[in-house]
Amino acid sequence: MRMMRARLSGCPSGYILQESLVYFIKEHNIVAPYKIERGKMEYVFQLEVSGKVEDVVETLLQLHRASCLDKLGDQMAMITAILQSRLARTSFDKNRFQSVSEKLHMECKAEMVTPLVTNPGHVCITDTNLYFQPLNGYPKPVVQITLQDVRRIYKRRHGLMPLGLEVFCTEDDLCSDIYLKFYEPQDRDDLYFYIATYLEHHVAEHTAESYMLQWQRGHLSNYQYLLHLNNLADRSCNDLSQYPVFPWVISDYSSPELDLSNPATFRDLSKPVGALNPERLERLLTRYQEMPEPKFMYGSHYSSPGYVLFYLVRIAPEYMLCLQNGRFDNADRMFNSIAETWKNCLDGATDFKELIPEFYDEDASFLINSLKLDLGKRQGGQMVDDVELPAWASSPQDFLQKNKDALESSYVSEHLHEWIDLIFGYKQKGSEAIGAHNVFHPLTYEGGVDLNSIEDPDDKVAMLTQILEFGQTPKQLFVTPHPRRITPKFKSLSQASSYNASMTDSPVSPGEESFEDLTEESKTLAWNNITKLQLHEQYKIHKEAVTGIAVSCNGSSVFTTSQDSTLKMFSKESKMLQRSISFSNMALSSCLLLPGDTTVISSSWDNNVYFYSIAFGRRQDTLMGHDDAVSKICWHNDRLYSASWDSTVKVWSGVPAEMPGTKRHQFDLLAELEHDVSVNTINLNAVSTLLVSGTKEGLVNIWDLTTATLLHQISCHSGTVCDAAFSPDSRHVLSTGVDGCLNVIDVQTGMLISSMASEEPQRCFVWDGNSVLSGSRTGELLVWDLLGAKVSERIQGHTGAVTCIWMNEQCSSIITGGEDRQVMFWKLQY
């Protein structure tokens, strides 16, 4: 290359380049394969700003010198030095601030990341805005984002280094508003911290677990959930080497009609694409067994820049040309047909690719050759044009709609967790990945190579290029099995286990269903208005803290226990105390009414459980079943469940007496659930097939009662578990502890899927699976939005800790007891 300054129209505003090899890119503004010409040629360039000629010529000469270096590593080092020199000579133009009152908090160098290109410039953050000013003024002189509009931010790996930061101003959009790559991890972390601190007061933080809870309960679609998981796993539309990955879900591309009620229509989501064809898998496993370490089953990945552009070539042809040295791929290897592509993914020796989000979005342009690109001619003579659709799709829009319908179908909703286990979960690595036939090349995994340990610049550049072009496995989000989605039509396939049986919907007659629907509607209405709870009346009927509340079916009589050792019977109608019973001089810990409202049972710190006949006004019997204080009791179907500080939960048969008031002389111990430490609380699920216990050392245990076996033990509190209860559908357990945490546990897997911290411990609560009404140590009632991970309302109540809470079946009436000895009656006002 030879360069000379040129005087054009009387001004030194241009330069002349003499070349022997020239690439013509987008000649005449037409996207086409690059045109190459050889021979001595001369080109004149004229600049709009004459004062920039010296700067442009100097930069071009520097870049030319870099390109003449023998080693690729030396070339990259010199280009980086040139760039850093230019950045050091410039700074952010403060005249670009939106307001003169803005306060500057931080300024640093960074690059704006777009597919295949990064644009260097300066980042600046003030108390109200985030700015990026590119050196070349492209795509505009300044990119400005108002902090108040920011909804999500993610730290990113870029080029395998912790240097990226992506900012979204929407909740569910596929593409971000800006993706920045910093030169120093500390700059990235400082900017993230500042924005995160700002968002902490404006936007609830979301984790994979909080999104999981929303998805499980139907508040997020399958599409939205997969988008959020991709974002959390470092996948970005601005990084083709880490583009969001979505599953193939349909396997039928030949039928004239698509039947989404037929399981055979769908792909097996429990297997990676490479394992869907048994014959091909057998060949791959044979090779895997013979391979020296490090072994891998698949020689290519399910997501790579080449695969992404394979799908997007019709709307991003320039990216493919850039990636493939100015050429489109062979016409027969292009994205010609949905059915052909699926068949090749099943049968091809090296094709294991999944899909991209565009297959489930609204925009069908990637299926249409609207730019009239010359993509070549196939062997049969036909030109590559629009993508050929399955017979069951009448148009590209119809194809996308049916794809979306399939993704949100019952079958996929019931099996999507299996695919998540493979891509983002516990089957991504290690022995589980081997067992699931899900092992890819070691370099595709996070941490597969330490670039900083490679000293030779050439080797480092070559390794990075290989990894980025080959594809990367998403960051692992889950290390235990992912829970299923809760679907209305979900039926457990296995009825052999009582645990499985307890998780299914029980059949009801049409009449019962309509009644239940009305009941559910009233409950939903009540919980939707739970923040409107108002204190109706209050009474001080005990001398010490209230510990338990039970209410008769007609709501007229309220029974309470207290640390003052008494059981009280209070009439709501006459608003008077009717009875006060003392069984011993030790505190009572809880109480409940037996069906029929003829007997009330109380548990005591004196190791006993007392049965009191309401009709006869006397103690009916005493169960001396523990070696330490009884902390909590439950009853269902003539069975008594008692928890104790003696580290046991015991299950007793309690056949009703033949005559009311007669002594119960026979208690049979049916099961003993042994713990290592004192048990503080227990609760049953709706059908009493499962029991949850909370201990004084922070353990939450889930038991299968029909086999008396421990299903899960979760250490999720640092200190005593105050309360624990199942959601109405038995899918989740909520626990609270003295550590102030509210934890949600998935019953099926035992996974801790949500954890929120409160300033004060929540001693007791009621919940519907989505919202929680809890009693705080400060005396307040707190309404929690679990899906939004926030406190919706704080309601002033007791002057000391709220120690127990009762809610009626319709969820419209609440009674609380506290350390202030008060019993408070609450009503919903709506």
Side-chain angles (χ1 to χ4, degrees), residues 213 215-219 484-488 490 499-506 520 523 684-690 725-734 744-748 753 767-770:
L213 186 62
W215 171 73
Q216 270 198 294
R217 298 205 157 272
H219 293 259
R484 294 173 181 265
R485 190 174 196 188
I486 301 168
T487 55
F490 173 71
Y499 167 59
N500 283 335
S502 72
M503 304 296 286
T504 62
D505 301 324
S506 56
E520 287 305 313
K523 290 179 180 178
L684 303 171
N685 70 333
V687 291
S688 297
T689 53
L690 301 173
F726 289 93
S727 57
D729 58 11
S730 300
R731 301 283 179 170
H732 297 113
V733 162
L734 177 68
V744 180
I745 298 161
D746 181 75
V747 171
Q748 181 193 23
I753 60 174
W767 74 312
D768 72 338
N770 298 321

Side-chain angles (χ1 to χ4, degrees), residues 125-235:
I125 192 163
T126 70
D127 52 348
T128 55
N129 290 290
L130 170 67
Y131 298 95
F132 177 75
Q133 185 173 26
L135 277 179
N136 59 7
Y138 181 83
K140 50 187 177 180
V142 169
V143 178
Q144 178 249 330
I145 292 175
T146 304
L147 293 182
Q148 196 171 350
D149 294 338
V150 175
R151 288 293 170 269
R152 295 175 288 143
I153 54 171
Y154 299 99
K155 290 182 178 180
R156 297 282 188 232
R157 285 178 302 156
H158 187 272
L160 303 188
M161 302 295 286
L163 299 171
L165 182 71
E166 194 159 22
V167 179
F168 291 78
C169 292
T170 59
E171 277 298 336
D172 298 314
D173 277 5
L174 178 60
C175 295
S176 63
D177 290 79
I178 193 168
Y179 184 161
L180 296 170
K181 173 211 164 186
F182 296 80
Y183 297 108
E184 298 295 335
Q186 190 61 50
D187 287 341
R188 190 276 302 269
D189 293 345
D190 289 346
L191 192 72
Y192 177 89
F193 178 78
Y194 183 83
I195 300 177
T197 304
Y198 180 92
L199 293 183
E200 199 175 333
H201 305 291
H202 300 81
V203 181
E205 181 183 3
H206 287 294
T207 61
E209 289 76 19
S210 66
Y211 283 129
M212 180 202 294
L213 186 62
Q214 293 186 54
W215 171 73
Q216 270 198 294
R217 298 205 157 272
H219 293 259
L220 286 178
S221 67
N222 292 338
Y223 174 81
Q224 290 171 320
Y225 185 47
L226 289 176
L227 270 189
H228 287 308
L229 292 185
N230 272 284
N231 272 318
L232 290 167
D234 273 349
R235 314 302 282 190

Side-chain angles (χ1 to χ4, degrees), residues 465-477:
T465 302
Q466 179 185 349
I467 292 169
L468 296 184
E469 290 185 358
F470 190 84
Q472 296 178 66
T473 300
K475 183 165 66 178
Q476 190 174 24
L477 300 178

Side-chain angles (χ1 to χ4, degrees), residues 567 583 592 594 598-603 608-614 618-624 633 635 640 652-655 662 664 667:
L567 167 69
F583 301 112
L592 58 85
L594 293 188
T598 60
T599 303
V600 62
I601 312 178
S602 301
S603 56
N608 298 328
V609 178
Y610 296 98
F611 292 76
Y612 175 81
S613 171
I614 300 168
R618 68 187 184 201
R619 179 167 57 181
Q620 191 171 321
D621 205 351
T622 302
L623 172 61
M624 294 178 283
I633 51 174
W635 179 278
L640 174 68
W652 310 86
S653 67
V655 181
T662 60
R664 296 171 184 261
F667 294 103

Side-chain angles (χ1 to χ4, degrees), residues 105-141:
H105 283 278
M106 178 181 172
E107 180 182 349
C108 63
K109 299 175 288 186
E111 297 177 9
M112 187 171 73
V113 179
T114 57
L116 301 181
V117 177
T118 59
N119 203 351
H122 295 275
V123 169
C124 188
I125 192 163
T126 70
D127 52 348
T128 55
N129 290 290
L130 170 67
Y131 298 95
F132 177 75
Q133 185 173 26
L135 277 179
N136 59 7
Y138 181 83
K140 50 187 177 180

